[in-house]
Amino acid sequence: MILRRLLAAALLLLGLGPAVEAAPRTMVAAANPLAVEAGLDVLRRGGSAADAAVAVQMVLGVVEPQASGIGGGGFLLHYDGATRAIVAYDGRETAPAGATPDLFLKDGKPLGFREAVASGLSVGVPGAVALLEQAHRAHGRLPWASLFEPAIRLAEQGFDAPPRLATWLERLPGLRADPGIAAVYFHPDGSPRRAGERIVNPALADTLRRVAAEGARALSEGPIAAEIVARVQGHVRPGTLAPADLAGYRVISREPLCGPYRVWIVCGMPPPSSGGLAILQILGLLEPFALWHDRPDDVRALHLVAEASRLAFADRDRYVADPAFVDVPVAGLLSPAYLAERRKLMSTERSMGPVGPGLPPGYVERGTSHMSIVDARGDAVSFTTTVEAPFGAGIMVRGFLLNNELTDFRAQPEVGGKPVANRVQPGKRPRSSMSPTVVLDRDRALVAALGSAGGSRIIGDTLQALLGLLDWNLSMRDALAQPRLINRNGPTELEQGTVLMERADALRALGHEVQVRRHEGGLTGIRRFEDGWQGAADPRRDGVAMGE
């Protein structure tokens, strides 16, 4: 058994192993094989899915720093295999108390995106560690500090640069402007470290030791917190992040947002994430069209998915924001009567083109990495975690990167004289597209756990994976590998280099504006399979799934 595990891990690290595995008891699917192995080791020692999520996240912060880390935030769904209850943990970053609606305006006009991202302005109060700490207190079985050991070892002893990390370093040479980033990820001559080259990050190892000993408090007070504030306020484009913002951060436990689809119950994150709401809207709009009679790449299915998606994105842009600041009409947006009225705009013969939001009943006028884990007790975690843009704000503090999540707010605070729901406000959590998802059967037994990286395209990716699993009965690997289509209430995007390119003319004939583009992917997922579990990771990235 030990020899088999070592051989499998070696093959995966060399890119020769499978990106899917079936296993009887446990499964971990994440964006890097070293992180997956760390999670599996926790499960072997009797740890829970929540314990494994801590270990996986800490390793991802070392080996996939461009996507997530302790300077970011996320959303986590926890499924309890005994009680069949789900808890939604909101560890989304918050705007500092000093943030104002015109945060990203200069002379009344929005800053350029890169100018806004690479700044102190974009840094929100991190929530990832606080989220994991709260989930561990509720669902953990192993000591908190023990879960950091693999990440500390990799940061201190080094790891071979994965292909995706090396690609992003090549794409973003401007990262060298930060001395900490330059020292870890670039050679003295300024060239980036390439795939397979050794990377060590002793400063991050020291920081992780402190977090292992002190928990989230290590980032909210004391010397690390002081350095975070100093770096943000000392940037050439400074932000207002203050010690009180870090000390005052709180994780929110929310009710998951669940709804029916055919014979299943699909659960996701409620606002401030728009992902769970948009996916349930799209599924509700599509159900009467019986997509299970089509093939995944049929023009009819592609057309209808795009049309339902544009309707959901129109409502997302109008209504969804932090519910502490905006009354989000969730029940109205998901009501069968409202969806039936919106469905009248859909035609199998013609695209509706860009569309405005609807008016849901009860409404009054007044924006990564993902892991999926199942433990031997049947508990599950679906956790999407992020620093937002690749390498976040491009600011390193003691070996870790700070997020740029505040750029997920709308830069323009007003449109047409009316305040925008997702405008910047002090203490507010920016709208997100992160869509950690859990699927149950009618007895609330676990069917699947999945989610994706990828910005606002997360919604479309997660939706397509769900349709692949539930309507077309694809394996998890095939569901995640499907050619991608998405519509965000604009052009219909088709993935470059796939069979969908052959459908472009047919979709144009239906009135779609079609764009063919490269797709980054980022899905991971686990589904019930026979008497065990089947896991997979998106073949477009470095991730794997392994189980025992």
Side-chain angles (χ1 to χ4, degrees), residues 380-396:
V381 160
S382 182
F383 178 29
T384 311
T385 172
T386 183
V387 291
E388 216 282 325
F391 299 94
I395 300 173
M396 181 175 276

Side-chain angles (χ1 to χ4, degrees), residues 395-411:
I395 300 173
M396 181 175 276
V397 176
R398 299 196 179 205
F400 66 93
L401 291 155
L402 299 180
N403 69 84
N404 67 290
E405 295 298 345
L406 300 191
T407 55
D408 276 352
F409 284 118
R410 183 79 171 265

Side-chain angles (χ1 to χ4, degrees), residues 165-173 186 191-194 391:
L165 171 57
T167 297
W168 276 111
L169 292 173
E170 186 75 31
R171 289 179 185 175
L172 298 173
F186 290 82
S191 62
R193 299 199 179 272
R194 303 193 180 281
F391 299 94

Side-chain angles (χ1 to χ4, degrees), residues 311-332:
L311 289 170
F313 268 85
D315 285 347
R316 168 189 183 270
D317 290 345
R318 175 64 183 88
Y319 297 113
V320 183
D322 186 342
F325 291 77
V326 174
D327 290 328
V328 184
V330 173

Side-chain angles (χ1 to χ4, degrees), residues 333-395:
L333 290 167
L334 292 176
S335 72
Y338 176 71
L339 293 178
E341 190 65 27
R342 295 289 275 171
R343 195 182 298 114
K344 292 177 181 177
L345 298 173
M346 298 174 63
S347 163
T348 58
E349 305 298 327
R350 190 75 184 167
S351 173
M352 70 186 81
V355 66
L359 186 63
Y363 180 75
V364 180
E365 193 67 66
R366 2 177 219 263
T368 309
S369 190
H370 184 85
M371 68 184 76
S372 305
I373 302 170
V374 175
D375 66 25
R377 297 168 181 81
D379 291 1
V381 160
S382 182
F383 178 29
T384 311
T385 172
T386 183
V387 291
E388 216 282 325
F391 299 94
I395 300 173

Side-chain angles (χ1 to χ4, degrees), residues 247-268:
Y249 183 85
R250 297 293 181 269
V251 175
I252 300 176
S253 295
R254 303 186 186 273
E255 287 292 321
L257 186 59
C258 297
Y261 182 65
R262 297 181 60 198
V263 300
W264 298 282
I265 302 168
V266 178
C267 297

